[in-house]
Amino acid sequence: RRGEVCALTWGNVDFSRAEIRVVHALTRVKGGFAVSSPKDVSGTGALRTIPMPAQLADFLREVKEGQFNARVSAGKPWTDELYVLGDPVTGAWKSPSKLTTSWASMAKLGGWTGSQGERVTFHDLRHTFATVAIANGIDVMSLAAILGHRDASMTLNIYAMALQEPKRRAMDQLNGFYAGNAGESAS
């Protein structure tokens, strides 16, 4: 979610544990945005922890190093309370609206269109991630937790469209099961 991405601070990116903690979100209020709690996905007030793949960790290390250098060059001390997508010198966050606008400009410049022929939106990244995850066999419960869905049925309803390759793999698995048990049913 763009509000969660924009509210992410370096203190919630744990390189040693390879995880990101979703602790805050920027939500729309009269006159702009404010830091608030993210959606409670469990119904218990628990925060969300997302495993961080090595490629993302490497990329974020580079971003952090660049922000650290910019901050030091400006004569300011580093703090892990700075926003990952924010301005390292002023400490300001990037608003979700500006993130959407920046993304739309890049998509227009790049001519990025989705499968329906429309310009790709920032939120489409979430849909693509979920669809690719399901197509590659990630279990729905884990995906629901990563996406911040309280209920896996929501994940299934939104993202688990009938993709050809997962259907083929499922049938191949069943074929293997039936082939392995064919002799047992004859006895």
Side-chain angles (χ1 to χ4, degrees):
R1 295 181 184 102
R2 65 186 192 142
E4 293 171 350
V5 170
C6 290
L8 182 65
T9 63
W10 287 111
N12 292 308
V13 177
D14 189 335
F15 292 106
S16 64
R17 295 181 65 151
E19 62 187 27
I20 295 171
R21 291 180 302 280
V22 180
V23 176
H24 297 107
L26 290 178
T27 54
R28 187 170 290 285
V29 295
K30 188 174 183 172
F33 290 90
V35 176
S36 65
S37 296
K39 286 186 178 180
D40 175 9
V41 298
S42 65
T44 64
L47 300 177
R48 197 160 90 244
T49 301
I50 302 170
M52 183 172 37
Q55 281 184 304
L56 178 57
D58 291 343
F59 173 75
L60 288 176
R61 278 188 187 94
E62 288 179 28
V63 171
K64 187 175 183 178
E65 182 180 343
Q67 286 190 5
F68 177 86
N69 292 336
R71 183 98 175 155
V72 169
S73 292
K76 297 190 174 192
W78 178 260
T79 172
D80 278 347
E81 295 308 308
L82 291 170
Y83 295 95
V84 173
L85 290 186
D87 183 314
V89 177
T90 65
W93 65 63
K94 183 177 195 92
S95 82
S97 298
K98 287 189 179 179
L99 177 61
T100 298
T101 302
S102 297
W103 177 265
S105 295
M106 288 190 315
K108 185 176 180 180
L109 263 169
W112 303 337
T113 56
S115 60
Q116 305 298 315
E118 295 179 12
R119 187 80 59 222
V120 176
T121 67
F122 185 78
H123 193 72
D124 287 337
L125 295 174
R126 182 176 171 86
H127 288 277
T128 300
F129 169 78
T131 303
V132 169
I134 288 171
N136 284 282
I138 291 181
D139 70 279
V140 176
M141 291 297 290
S142 295
L143 182 59
I146 289 168
L147 293 172
H149 292 162
R150 184 179 291 205
D151 188 329
S153 66
M154 181 176 181
T155 307
L156 286 169
N157 291 337
I158 296 173
Y159 299 110
M161 44 189 132
L163 299 171
Q164 191 62 27
E165 189 53 35
K167 289 189 300 185
R168 187 175 314 283
R169 278 197 312 266
M171 293 308 289
D172 288 346
Q173 288 174 341
L174 285 174
N175 185 52
F177 171 77
Y178 289 128
N181 291 312
E184 293 176 20
S185 61
S187 350

